[in-house]
């Protein structure tokens, strides 16, 4: 089953996660955050899936 993902909401979520990592003592997460800003929707979804994020939480209605 294919779902439509609200890519911008997913992007914001990932940036929040990486921002939290930076301020928790993982400065290298800044590089990942920069990459996330430049990813297209397909790349962003693949990254999220690799991180174990359930894309159904970001389903576009």
């Amino acid at each position: 089953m294919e779902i439509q993902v609200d890519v911008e909401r997913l992007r914001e979520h990932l940036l929040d996660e990486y921002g939290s990592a930076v301020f928790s003592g993982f400065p290298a997460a800044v590089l990942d955050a920069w990459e996330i800003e430049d990813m297209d929707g397909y790349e962003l979804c693949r990254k999220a899936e690799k991180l174990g994020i359930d894309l159904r939480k970001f389903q576009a209605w």
Side-chain angles (χ1 to χ4, degrees):
M1 182 172 107
E2 191 173 306
I3 64 168
Q4 295 247 343
V5 174
D6 183 339
V7 175
E8 289 311 311
R9 206 169 101 220
L10 176 58
R11 187 183 318 276
E12 287 176 18
H13 174 76
L14 289 173
L15 288 172
D16 285 346
E17 291 292 319
Y18 281 102
S20 296
V22 169
F23 291 109
S24 295
F26 299 100
V30 168
L31 299 174
D32 287 325
W34 283 335
E35 288 178 355
I36 287 169
E37 289 178 348
D38 293 332
M39 288 180 178
D40 64 26
Y42 179 76
E43 294 169 323
L44 200 62
C45 288
R46 285 185 50 129
K47 176 80 168 179
E49 286 177 329
K50 286 181 183 178
L51 294 171
I53 295 173
D54 183 0
L55 294 178
R56 291 176 294 180
K57 294 179 181 178
F58 299 93
Q59 185 170 354
W61 301 99

